Amino acid sequence: MAQVVKRAYKYRFYPTPGQADVLARTFGCVRLVYNKALEDRTRAYRVEGRRVSYGESSAALTAWKRTQELAFLNEVSSVPLQQALRHLQAGFVNFFTKRAGFPTFKSRKKSRLSAEYTRSAFRWRDGTLTLAKMDGPLDIVWSRPLPEGAEPSTVTVSKDAAGRWFVSILVEEKITPLAPAENVVGVDARITSLLTLSRPIDGVTDAHGTVANPRHEPAERRRLARAQRALARKGKGSANRVKARRRVARVYARITDRRRDFLHKVTTRLVRENQVIAVEDLTIRTMVKNRTLARAISDASWRELRSMLEYKARWYGREVVVVDRWFPFSKLCSACGTLAESMPLSVREWVCACGAVHDRDVNAARNILAAGLAER
Ligand SMILES: [Zn+2]
């Protein structure tokens, strides 16, 4: 049975100087409104022990717009400002239900520059997108088509630390689950390579079952480390520091973009070809402190990989099982169940007393699969 899912399509775009100006001001107003409303809510909560509703925040916004010093809020579309209040409301709901910490202020330097437009604040016609208070349609690079007949419901414009502009278009899409698959697979997260599977998949892994990191990545990482060292040498507040920071952001953005494409390819194949996908809960493993750059990148991609697996599995009628207890999976013989005594990281291949010859990671992936299947 087909289901309707909301799906975001993200593209780069190149604003005209006029559009860039309106957007920069919109980002500033979004941050200001968010922070002001947060301040009010924080005071109400901490001082009066009272919860502020979305309606109250919205009424406050209307009042701010009438004052002389905040009249400039009227110059940008009101929808992104309202959306900022909605996000803040969601943040407080999460806080009150203990799903998240107390909402924090958006800082000028570190917060994400973005503005969200709902249906009433943009026009979508003949494949062109025009935002409210803008002189013309956005010049979008359509790197892949929107689904046929798609009607955007929300449009989010953002600018990253590398200075690139993006528009993310949310559409409703009909997705038909795939026919059941016979295979099942276990996934072992790695640091040096990306991951290892319990069995090789053609075109995704090598002959053993290992998925290597995207090519070019070691060189990019070296470039990133170099850019970070250069940034550390620049004096605080200097113009060169701004440039150096942007250089770091650009290299990092390149790495994460390429990774994301790669993760999409891998997860699509895994979900297409397997009915059950067993993964390890990595929050357990990250207790082992390892603050290297490689580790940070690999943790980030592992989180992203897992979330991709989970939503794609939901779309296509597959099952992701998370093995959430710690176990020395690489030391357990997946053939006979004997636990090997010690297994230094340098051991890549070992022979069990039962005669089974194991690739360390493939063996771990097989054990994760078995544990996942047992947990269902
Ligand atoms: Zn054995």
Side-chain angles (χ1 to χ4, degrees):
M1 213 176 30
Q3 53 175 334
V4 176
V5 301
K6 286 195 166 170
R7 191 168 181 181
Y9 288 80
K10 194 172 178 183
Y11 305 97
R12 274 189 84 166
F13 75 99
Y14 295 89
T16 63
Q19 290 170 341
D21 177 59
V22 175
L23 288 170
R25 280 188 289 134
T26 307
F27 293 156
C29 291
V30 162
R31 189 167 50 81
L32 180 135
V33 164
Y34 182 95
N35 284 345
K36 257 184 95 58
L38 173 55
E39 201 182 309
D40 283 359
R41 279 174 177 258
T42 306
R43 194 183 321 111
Y45 178 69
R46 301 256 193 250
V47 180
E48 305 158 42
R50 191 171 64 82
R51 298 183 185 188
V52 173
S53 68
Y54 166 75
E56 258 178 274
S57 286
S58 177
L61 170 60
T62 308
W64 298 337
K65 284 177 165 182
R66 291 208 188 99
T67 64
Q68 209 177 358
E69 67 268 29
L70 293 177
F72 62 86
L73 292 175
N74 294 296
E75 291 168 18
V76 303
S77 166
S78 64
V79 171
L81 308 183
Q82 295 286 352
Q83 290 305 101
L85 295 181
R86 286 207 171 83
H87 289 304
L88 182 60
Q89 168 72 13
F92 270 91
V93 168
N94 286 337
F95 167 69
F96 288 129
T97 54
K98 296 193 162 47
R99 272 176 302 191
F102 200 85
T104 52
F105 288 96
K106 285 186 191 290
S107 87
R108 206 167 68 82
K109 274 197 183 142
K110 292 206 179 116
S111 66
R112 200 171 95 91
L113 297 172
S114 76
E116 195 175 285
Y117 295 78
T118 51
R119 202 67 194 84
S120 62
F122 64 83
R123 197 173 64 233
W124 171 251
R125 194 173 292 161
D126 306 326
T128 65
L129 181 70
T130 310
L131 302 176
K133 309 243 180 188
M134 286 253 170
D135 52 7
L138 298 183
D139 179 13
I140 297 173
V141 182
W142 297 102
S143 43
R144 56 182 173 153
L146 275 182
E148 192 91 22
E151 276 299 316
S153 60
T154 307
V155 168
T156 306
V157 175
S158 60
K159 188 183 180 190
D160 75 4
R164 305 176 306 171
W165 295 84
F166 293 95
V167 58
S168 172
I169 303 175
L170 194 67
V171 298
E172 287 196 337
E173 196 173 343
K174 215 180 256 171
I175 290 188
T176 314
L178 298 165
E182 284 181 4
N183 284 322
V184 291
V185 72
V187 182
D188 181 47
R190 310 262 25 103
I191 296 175
T192 45
S193 58
L194 180 64
L195 46 90
T196 299
L197 305 181
S198 53
R199 65 181 163 82
I201 294 184
D202 213 27
V204 174
T205 68
D206 65 9
H208 296 284
T210 295
V211 181
N213 282 315
R215 267 192 312 147
H216 310 301
E217 195 165 81
E220 295 270 37
R221 281 190 193 181
R222 277 196 297 279
R223 208 164 294 140
L224 179 58
R226 204 154 54 226
Q228 281 175 325
R229 279 197 302 274
L231 173 61
R233 281 196 302 269
K234 302 284 183 272
K236 273 228 161 81
S238 71
N240 281 336
R241 190 180 166 82
V242 175
K243 258 195 248 163
R245 187 181 300 123
R246 187 158 281 201
R247 195 166 309 127
V248 169
R250 264 204 305 271
V251 182
Y252 199 79
R254 242 195 332 262
I255 294 178
T256 51
D257 284 357
R258 196 170 288 152
R259 275 208 147 206
R260 187 164 305 123
D261 288 349
F262 184 70
L263 291 177
H264 269 303
K265 277 192 201 111
V266 172
T267 51
T268 297
R269 285 289 300 276
L270 282 176
V271 166
R272 281 193 172 281
E273 295 172 24
N274 297 280
Q275 189 58 35
V276 178
I277 300 153
V279 299
E280 216 180 341
D281 184 358
L282 265 218
T283 50
I284 295 166
R285 239 211 243 175
T286 43
M287 288 193 293
V288 184
K289 289 276 177 268
N290 182 340
R291 297 191 181 280
T292 61
L293 177 65
R295 181 55 195 256
I297 294 177
S298 98
D299 282 356
S301 39
W302 179 250
R303 271 195 300 277
E304 196 159 11
L305 178 118
R306 189 172 144 187
S307 103
M308 284 179 185
L309 279 179
E310 281 172 346
Y311 74 72
K312 288 180 185 177
R314 248 192 335 272
W315 288 356
Y316 295 114
R318 303 297 196 234
E319 194 181 344
V320 173
V321 187
V322 179
V323 179
D324 60 359
R325 66 200 160 80
W326 184 82
F327 195 85
F329 286 119
S330 19
K331 290 203 292 186
L332 182 73
C333 171
S334 56
C336 74
T338 304
L339 203 56
E341 286 201 348
S342 74
M343 188 74 56
L345 268 173
S346 57
V347 176
R348 304 316 306 169
E349 202 179 273
W350 58 287
V351 184
C352 178
C354 76
V357 182
H358 294 302
D359 173 287
R360 177 201 184 90
D361 302 335
V362 173
N363 178 59
R366 286 185 184 147
N367 286 323
I368 289 167
L369 173 60
L373 291 174
E375 248 177 50
R376 283 165 79 212

